[in-house]
Amino acid sequence: MTSLSPQDQVQEQLEHHEAEHPDHRMFGLATFLVADAMTFAGFFAAYLTFKAVNPLLPGAIYELELPLPTLNTILLLVSSATFHRAGVNLRKGCNERCRAWLLGTAVLGLAFLVSQMVEYFTLPFGLADNLYASTFYALTGFHGLHVTLGALMILIVWWQCRTPSGRVSASNHFPLEAAELYWHFVDGIWVILFVILYLI
Amino acid sequence: MTLTVPQQSPPAPQSLQPTGWLRYLSFSVDHKVIGLQYLVCGFAFYLIGGALAGAIRTELVSPISDFMPRDVYNQVLTLHGTVMIFLWIVPVVNGAFGNYLIPFYVGARDMAFPRLNAVAFWLIPPAGLLLISSYFITGAAQSGWTAYPPLSLTTPASGQIIWILSVLLLGGSSIFGGINFIATILKLRRPGLKLMQLPMYCWAMLGTSILVVLSTPVLAGTLIMLSFDIVAHTGFFNPGLGGNVVVYQHLFWFYSHPAVYIMVLPAFGLVSEILPIHCRKPLFGYTTMVYSIMAIVVLGLVVWAHHMFTSGTPPWMRLFFTIATAFIAVPTGIKFFNWLATLWGGKISLNSAVLFSCGFIVNFVLGGITGVALAQVPFDVHVHDTYFVVAHFHYIVYGGSVFVIFASIYHWYPKVTGRLMNEHLGRFHFLLTFVGFNLCFAPQHWLGLNGMPRRVAEYDPQFQLINQFSSVGALLMAISTLPFLWNVIASALQGEIAGDNPWNALTPEWLTSSPPPVENWKGEAPLVTNPYAYGTPENEIDLNSVSGSDLWRNGQ
Ligand SMILES: [Cu+2]
């Protein structure tokens, strides 16, 4: 048979669309993350310039402790690894294991947020106290917002792959891969943030 | 023997989308509908922004503030700048023509992310209405489209906050659009179509979208910090609280210099599409055009501080940014001479589209020359914040981009409606616009050189006569809109039938019906490997090789 029936053509077109879409969506997400990274770059540039040219006004307090943010760094780095394991298991078709790893990742992300909150409440300065303090809260807050969104995404994916034929499965792992790329991005930003805010 | 009749294929699963004119008010995912939505919405805001400009020029007829109070004048000039940039030029040269043309040019049936595309458009009307409504509710922002602190921190907060919200929404729309264009151009090309075979507008949109994605987020972050300064009384940009206003300027211009290219690069691309068709000659220097677009993208990201030579910038910074800006003149000049060479010796039909394109070339080179002059520190320090700057950037964004928008409307109107626009009215429109524009803005160079500051409702009486010339020019520009609007409406109803390809063009959007069907082509998308193959003698064409010229010669 040389020509397809109209029905087959429609079917083929649909499959064609389905098959080529995930690729572009990952590309689109990556482009979006470049834009997102530029937002952080703006904040970092502002922070570093303030540090370089704007001395604190007399009496202003800006001191950071290292232990909690170090713990936070470890939490996020481990969560990147657990997310990777979840993806590997999903592609192998082991939904239950994938979900366990996803849940672990979400718990690590939530632990990060709790720990960040603890830090906020123990710091000796508030949002509007001085220039460095404001920039510190702006940067960590904007990052925390990203972690919150990421944790929500993980929980949604966790819900969607509860059965092997669910919306997220070995045959359709785009949502998981998108969330994973986003999560690695958020972790990477944290590492840069940790170095710039806490170490130098 | 029995024949098995193949079952009728089910109707296309798009029945939820309204048809007819209603789809222009709907959340349509068709790139052509979205493109026209951008265009009509943008033009509505152009009329509003134009009315605001009329108010400004009326106020400036006399040296005292008699037409409106000073704070209203500040609101009007802030709204004028914001509306014209964020709601007219950026959405139209990118969103309108980009959405309509790019899928054709890459041989696709739609954009890469149709739904994101619709979201990007539908962010614009609410953002625009929010901005305009601030004038009636609480009083609009008063700190100009630049929103420099401390001015933006000391003027009434409510208008400024609404302004920030609106610009954030528009920035989001712009970023979504940019992502979509990059993905469409790089990922959705028809098999067999190489990057270096794309029409020039694709390259312009690729470069523009890279700038959008890299620079708009920085503006967003900066405006969020500014809103914290206003609402939460932080001191990022408030010197009274130990903050730094110059950091705001750096971050703002890191977006807003590229924003100039976000407004003119697509216009460069559109002119490069229009000229070859109406001169029957290939686009001169395709490869150099591509490289100069990319050079402008790279250089455009590292010249921002030429807006800040009077902000206490250290000498090394002045030197660097002066030199970098001077370098931008090179790729821009290459494009200018390429257009001239395209026109040179061509069989030019001097229709409205070509007239507006030539008007663009003239105005843009004038604006470019004053731009290079402004990048020189000694000169800039003299004319900074005067009407010389106002004249310069209107030559770029109006004389450049808006002229190209009109050229493009005359050029693509037959494709969209299937009817031609009236040429007599079109030429009259061009004459009024060109004379009005130059009468309005050329004298402002003189005003600036003689020290008239911009953004002020009152001025030294010695400048009155020249200001009145300028206002007469603005009046002509306002009048010029009437023949255009009449032309658009009347031609839609009873214009001459255009046929599918009235210009005998080779670019892919002309190789389908006018208006095009929902998925752009009835059959396969044509493979146009040489969109500028004009003027090749008939007997030198190899009909076996598939290229754009063959397609229309074969009557497809
Ligand atoms: Cu600039």
Side-chain angles (χ1 to χ4, degrees):
Chain A
M1 188 172 151
T2 48
S3 67
L4 296 164
S5 74
Q7 215 165 6
D8 285 344
Q9 276 177 6
V10 170
Q11 191 57 39
E12 195 216 42
Q13 262 182 359
L14 284 176
E15 277 166 12
H16 189 56
H17 279 257
E18 291 283 307
E20 73 179 2
H21 240 112
D23 209 18
H24 301 326
R25 282 184 293 179
M26 284 308 275
F27 180 84
L29 177 65
T31 318
F32 174 77
L33 292 180
V34 170
D36 207 6
M38 287 306 293
T39 323
F40 279 103
F43 284 129
F44 285 134
Y47 177 80
L48 291 172
T49 317
F50 289 149
K51 277 288 226 185
V53 300
N54 288 81
L56 279 186
L57 297 179
I61 304 170
Y62 180 68
E63 283 160 11
L64 296 169
E65 304 276 344
L66 261 184
L68 219 45
T70 311
L71 172 71
N72 277 346
T73 311
I74 295 168
L75 285 174
L76 281 191
L77 287 179
V78 173
S79 76
S80 254
T82 54
F83 209 145
H84 182 71
R85 295 304 308 163
V88 169
N89 276 299
L90 183 75
R91 279 182 286 271
K92 277 195 295 189
C94 311
N95 273 49
E96 277 316 306
R97 283 196 189 181
C98 165
R99 296 191 81 213
W101 283 111
L102 275 179
L103 202 59
T105 313
V107 167
L108 286 168
L110 294 174
F112 170 90
L113 287 172
V114 170
S115 155
Q116 180 82 73
M117 277 298 150
V118 172
E119 189 194 13
Y120 278 2
F121 283 109
T122 51
L123 283 173
F125 51 81
L127 172 65
D129 280 10
N130 62 63
L131 184 58
Y132 299 170
S134 305
T135 325
F136 168 85
Y137 281 112
L139 258 170
T140 51
F142 193 54
H143 179 267
L145 193 69
H146 279 73
V147 177
T148 314
L149 283 177
L152 277 176
M153 276 189 228
I154 294 172
L155 290 175
I156 292 172
V157 173
W158 174 78
W159 178 248
Q160 285 184 334
C161 62
R162 62 196 180 281
T163 59
S165 56
R167 290 192 58 153
V168 180
S169 62
S171 56
N172 178 27
H173 40 77
F174 166 74
L176 182 128
E177 277 178 0
E180 185 178 345
L181 181 64
Y182 177 83
W183 192 253
H184 291 324
F185 167 80
V186 172
D187 292 355
I189 292 286
W190 173 261
V191 173
I192 300 170
L193 188 152
F194 180 66
V195 171
I196 291 182
L197 283 189
Y198 295 94
L199 296 187
I200 60 175
Chain B
M1 188 180 162
T2 53
L3 279 172
T4 47
V5 181
Q7 275 186 321
Q8 205 66 40
S9 66
Q14 288 287 330
S15 51
L16 281 178
Q17 295 267 334
T19 51
W21 65 272
L22 260 182
R23 71 201 145 123
Y24 293 103
L25 296 175
S26 76
F27 189 80
S28 171
V29 294
D30 181 345
H31 71 100
K32 297 182 289 300
V33 173
I34 293 176
L36 292 176
Q37 286 174 329
Y38 268 108
L39 185 63
V40 173
C41 172
F43 197 83
F45 282 113
Y46 171 62
L47 295 179
I48 294 173
L52 293 162
I56 291 174
R57 283 318 317 171
T58 309
E59 170 63 66
L60 293 177
V61 167
S62 66
I64 52 166
S65 59
D66 45 6
F67 182 64
M68 53 187 144
R70 294 165 188 166
D71 62 329
V72 174
Y73 182 84
N74 292 344
Q75 297 179 27
V76 167
L77 81 87
T78 303
L79 284 177
H80 165 71
T82 313
V83 166
M84 288 303 204
I85 292 169
F86 292 114
L87 290 158
W88 159 236
I89 299 181
V90 170
V92 170
V93 291
N94 291 279
F97 295 110
N99 275 304
Y100 202 94
L101 297 173
I102 294 290
F104 282 111
Y105 285 174
V106 300
R109 303 208 181 267
D110 210 314
M111 297 283 287
F113 312 112
R115 236 165 301 177
L116 183 69
N117 205 12
V119 171
F121 168 73
W122 281 107
L123 284 173
I124 290 180
L129 293 178
L130 188 67
L131 182 71
I132 304 291
S133 67
S134 70
Y135 176 85
F136 299 101
I137 299 169
T138 61
Q142 295 188 35
S143 51
W145 84 280
T146 51
Y148 270 12
L151 195 57
S152 48
L153 303 177
T154 52
T155 45
S158 49
Q160 196 64 51
I161 285 294
I162 295 179
W163 182 90
I164 290 174
L165 269 178
S166 165
V167 173
L168 285 177
L169 286 174
L170 295 167
S173 158
S174 189
I175 293 172
F176 291 155
I179 292 170
N180 223 335
F181 287 126
I182 294 177
T184 307
I185 295 168
L186 293 183
K187 292 285 179 184
L188 229 57
R189 282 196 318 284
R190 176 199 194 291
L193 186 60
K194 299 193 180 69
L195 276 174
M196 289 306 273
Q197 297 166 339
L198 288 173
M200 194 52 58
Y201 183 57
C202 292
W203 283 102
M205 282 308 297
L206 183 62
T208 308
S209 303
I210 292 171
L211 286 177
V212 165
V213 165
L214 291 180
S215 63
T216 315
V218 177
L219 176 74
T222 312
L223 291 183
I224 289 170
M225 289 165 88
L226 185 66
S227 64
F228 270 92
D229 275 4
I230 294 171
V231 175
H233 303 290
T234 55
F236 296 116
F237 308 126
N238 188 344
L241 299 173
N244 189 334
V245 286
V246 179
V247 168
Y248 177 88
Q249 298 186 8
H250 275 294
L251 294 172
F252 177 82
W253 287 110
F254 182 80
Y255 165 74
S256 294
H257 180 80
V260 177
Y261 292 103
I262 293 168
M263 290 186 274
V264 299
L265 271 183
F268 290 175
L270 292 167
V271 161
S272 306
E273 299 309 329
I274 295 168
L275 286 181
I277 292 173
H278 297 283
C279 321
R280 312 313 297 166
K281 273 187 67 192
L283 181 67
F284 187 89
Y286 179 94
T287 318
T288 57
M289 284 288 212
V290 171
Y291 284 112
S292 53
I293 286 173
M294 289 305 151
I296 288 174
V297 169
V298 174
L299 287 171
L301 285 168
V302 292
V303 297
W304 73 87
H306 62 210
H307 296 269
M308 301 165 53
F309 287 150
T310 58
S311 304
T313 35
W316 68 266
M317 220 184 246
R318 290 175 158 195
L319 190 67
F320 173 81
F321 284 102
T322 293
I323 293 174
T325 309
F327 266 117
I328 276 208
V330 176
T332 316
I334 289 174
K335 301 185 78 66
F336 171 71
F337 286 112
N338 279 346
W339 292 318
L340 291 189
T342 306
L343 287 164
W344 190 268
K347 275 197 226 164
I348 305 171
S349 42
L350 263 186
N351 52 33
S352 313
V354 174
L355 285 171
F356 270 103
S357 301
C358 293
F360 153 81
I361 295 177
V362 172
N363 296 331
F364 188 79
V365 81
L366 290 172
I369 289 169
T370 52
V372 174
L374 280 170
Q376 312 309 312
V377 177
F379 183 73
D380 181 78
V381 169
H382 177 65
V383 296
H384 185 87
D385 222 1
T386 70
Y387 263 84
F388 192 87
V389 178
V390 176
H392 156 70
F393 69 70
H394 280 95
Y395 266 83
I396 299 292
V397 292
Y398 196 104
S401 303
V402 178
F403 268 65
V404 173
I405 292 173
F406 284 127
S408 306
I409 291 174
Y410 283 103
H411 179 73
W412 277 289
Y413 187 89
K415 177 47 62 184
V416 174
T417 61
R419 289 174 187 271
L420 291 165
M421 285 179 86
N422 183 309
E423 268 305 314
H424 297 293
L425 276 174
R427 284 175 203 172
F428 180 55
H429 172 216
F430 169 75
L431 193 72
L432 273 180
T433 315
F434 191 75
V435 173
F437 168 76
N438 280 292
L439 183 59
C440 182
F441 292 106
Q444 293 182 3
H445 292 107
W446 186 89
L447 290 174
L449 287 171
N450 286 280
M452 178 174 162
R454 61 190 278 213
R455 291 182 164 172
V456 188
E458 295 162 6
Y459 56 87
D460 193 313
Q462 62 159 316
F463 297 129
Q464 184 166 16
L465 182 66
I466 304 294
N467 266 298
Q468 287 172 341
F469 276 128
S470 182
S471 293
V472 171
L475 182 63
L476 282 183
M477 289 165 81
I479 295 171
S480 78
T481 317
L482 299 177
F484 172 74
L485 277 177
W486 174 254
N487 201 349
V488 166
I489 295 165
S491 304
L493 299 175
Q494 45 187 320
E496 196 186 324
I497 299 292
D500 292 347
N501 193 353
W503 315 127
N504 284 333
L506 304 178
T507 40
E509 81 275 26
W510 298 102
L511 307 176
T512 183
S513 61
S514 301
V518 167
E519 295 220 300
N520 295 350
W521 293 279
K522 287 266 157 51
E524 274 279 290
L527 176 63
V528 180
T529 54
N530 186 359
Y532 302 114
Y534 302 104
T536 321
E538 199 79 37
N539 51 12
E540 283 178 24
I541 288 179
D542 175 15
L543 285 178
N544 294 320
S545 76
V546 188
S547 82
S549 51
D550 309 332
L551 280 169
W552 71 265
R553 281 207 173 78
N554 291 338
Q556 288 188 24

